Amino acid sequence: ISKRAVVVMCADNGVVAQGVTQTGQEVTAIVAENMSTGDTSVCAMARSAGAEVVPVDIGTAVPLTGARIVQRCVRRGTADMTQGPAMSRGEAVQAVLTGVETARELCAGGVHLLATGEMGIGNTTTSSAVAAVLLGQEPVVMTGRGAGLSDAGLQKKIHAIETAVAVNRPDPADVLDVLHKVGGLDIAGLAGVFLGGALCHTPVLVDGFISSVAALVAARLCPACKDYMLGSHASEEPASRLVLSELGLRPFLYAGMRLGEGTGAVAVMPLLDMGLEDRMRQPVGLLSGGQRQALTLLMATMVPPKLLLLDEHTAALDPATAEKVLRLTREIVEGERITCLMITHNMKNALELGNRTFMMDAGRVVLDIGGEERKGLTVDDLLERFRAGAGKNLDNDRILLSND
């Protein structure tokens, strides 16, 4: 993961007109411009962690001019969601696709680890609104002080969310309906980054509360993308751990952070480096079968080989985890167009997951079944054919599963 990037989606939120923040909307543009010159907290941390900061103008209220800012504006800030939808459904879709394309471009440029960040005054309000609707919680449970609201400010924030939900009546079963009515362009863009990372088989670090809500949106759009998410830290926002729990993510850090920008995700990068350094230097013979296969698959996504030979390691895993490992293996193999040979003792997996199945005895291929011939075959059929070909009755081992 020597090349990594933190994507910071920058956008403004019309709900700030309701007095839900302690700073003005102009701060969004100021901080975003400073990111272009490397003069923000996440920039300083990224230099230490060896990461590139990629600020994206996806919807700030005023145009940004920094040389390093990626210009992808969908609209100049959202509308006040207490008066009606924050944006149109089409704009929400466009923002999500913008995030997907941003992730794809970075991965095509050699990035092997993505992190998510945001900059947008008022975005803890929109995030709390989206999370409240998607998780079926009352706004008072999901709403925190953001960058440091007073008691009076917190009450205004809760009231604004309650009003927005009552006015717009977002459908929790339709995540795009929720996103365009009470969400933000930064949330939509980050959701796209999670989807784009998964599409490119690249892990994506979830930053704090706002990023985790974007991850939740992405997971509701495509549940399989959760397999590429890594929790970084548990934000001080009260709903943060509820959202992470819903995603099935366990953060690395509990540091009381609430800055945003992607700082929590970048803070975790050195921990990942240390973990990989330990594994890479550990003699392979000391690694478990699962660790060896995970390391092999990770390396295959970075430098796709012509042939990938894998040994089965799922025997000691519970069935649900074993199925997930096999599914991920196939996704990586097919996504990278790798020819993969896997030795397995599970004849059912050999039939269901492979495109071609070999059965061997004493170094001799007894059975070679592929294409249309495999359709409808059962484990009993395989055993019977094996017995006939080998001239002996053996247990169902020595099976080579091939994904051609």
Side-chain angles (χ1 to χ4, degrees):
I1 56 173
S2 58
K3 190 170 184 180
R4 68 282 299 264
V6 51
V7 180
V8 184
M9 291 290 177
C10 305
D12 278 305
N13 301 280
V15 72
V16 297
Q18 300 301 314
V20 297
T21 63
Q22 64 175 1
T23 56
Q25 195 173 66
E26 67 278 1
V27 173
T28 300
I30 293 171
V31 176
E33 294 285 6
N34 286 341
M35 285 183 188
S36 180
T37 57
D39 296 322
T40 69
S41 297
V42 73
C43 294
M45 295 174 68
R47 284 192 289 271
S48 177
E52 177 188 5
V53 177
V54 183
V56 179
D57 177 3
I58 196 168
T60 56
V62 296
L64 303 179
T65 59
R68 293 180 55 248
I69 294 173
V70 180
Q71 303 292 342
R72 297 286 172 82
C73 184
V74 174
R75 58 176 284 169
R76 286 295 164 205
T78 56
D80 183 351
M81 67 183 187
T82 66
Q83 308 300 309
M87 66 189 104
S88 71
R89 188 182 182 96
E91 288 167 336
V93 171
Q94 183 183 346
V96 171
L97 293 177
T98 296
V100 172
E101 191 58 31
T102 300
R104 291 183 65 182
E105 289 175 358
L106 289 169
C107 292
V111 170
H112 293 302
L113 177 65
L114 290 166
T116 51
E118 36 61 41
M119 182 58 227
I121 300 302
N123 58 11
T124 58
T125 303
T126 53
S127 297
S128 295
V130 171
V133 175
L134 293 181
L135 298 184
Q137 297 282 349
E138 292 298 322
V140 68
V141 175
M142 306 299 286
T143 307
R145 297 179 184 274
L149 280 176
S150 63
D151 290 344
L154 178 59
Q155 291 308 309
K156 283 185 180 180
K157 187 174 180 179
I158 294 170
H159 178 68
I161 295 171
E162 291 172 339
T163 301
V165 172
V167 167
N168 292 291
R169 302 179 64 184
D171 180 3
D174 181 352
V175 67
L176 287 175
D177 189 63
V178 178
L179 187 60
H180 92 82
K181 287 179 176 177
V182 298
L185 291 162
D186 47 359
I187 299 172
L190 290 179
V193 172
F194 288 111
L195 294 170
L199 185 64
C200 298
H201 304 293
T202 299
V204 186
L205 281 163
V206 182
D207 183 39
F209 175 53
I210 298 150
S211 289
S212 69
V213 171
L216 181 61
V217 169
R220 293 291 174 90
L221 288 169
C222 177
C225 75
K226 289 191 293 184
D227 294 331
Y228 293 90
M229 296 177 186
L230 294 172
S232 62
H233 76 107
S235 165
E236 277 294 279
E237 286 294 295
S240 175
R241 300 188 191 194
L242 288 174
V243 176
L244 290 174
S245 176
E246 175 72 13
L247 290 167
L249 298 177
R250 297 178 61 184
F252 292 92
L253 299 176
Y254 295 86
M257 298 177 70
R258 61 187 341 156
L259 177 60
E261 297 184 21
T263 50
V266 173
V268 163
M269 288 180 179
L271 296 179
L272 297 179
D273 288 333
M274 286 185 282
L276 281 174
E277 180 76 9
D278 175 62
R279 289 303 180 196
M280 294 295 283
R281 291 184 179 276
Q282 188 172 354
V284 175
L286 298 181
L287 299 177
S288 69
Q291 291 169 338
R292 286 197 298 272
Q293 184 148 334
L295 184 59
T296 302
L297 287 171
L298 175 63
M299 294 172 66
T301 61
M302 295 179 177
V303 185
K306 293 182 178 179
L307 176 66
L308 180 63
L309 180 62
L310 295 175
D311 188 10
E312 181 184 56
H313 74 276
T314 57
L317 299 177
D318 64 273
T321 303
E323 181 181 351
K324 183 177 180 180
V325 169
L326 288 168
R327 177 169 57 80
L328 279 173
T329 300
R330 181 162 189 172
E331 287 179 6
I332 291 171
V333 165
E334 291 183 346
E336 301 292 339
R337 299 184 180 276
I338 300 170
T339 297
C340 175
L341 299 176
M342 181 185 288
I343 298 171
T344 177
H345 290 76
N346 189 318
M347 298 183 72
K348 184 172 180 290
N349 285 338
L351 281 172
E352 293 179 355
L353 295 175
N355 295 329
R356 189 173 175 185
T357 300
F358 297 92
M359 295 181 70
M360 304 183 69
D361 177 52
R364 178 172 64 94
V365 176
V366 174
L367 203 60
D368 179 357
I369 304 174
E372 293 295 321
E373 188 181 4
R374 297 178 71 254
K375 290 184 178 180
L377 284 180
T378 66
V379 171
D380 288 339
D381 294 333
L382 276 184
L383 284 173
E384 186 59 38
R385 292 195 184 195
F386 177 81
R387 293 181 186 116
K392 61 180 77 171
N393 187 3
L394 293 175
D395 294 331
N396 57 333
D397 57 6
R398 302 188 183 91
I399 302 169
L400 193 60
L401 166 64
S402 168
N403 188 353
D404 221 356

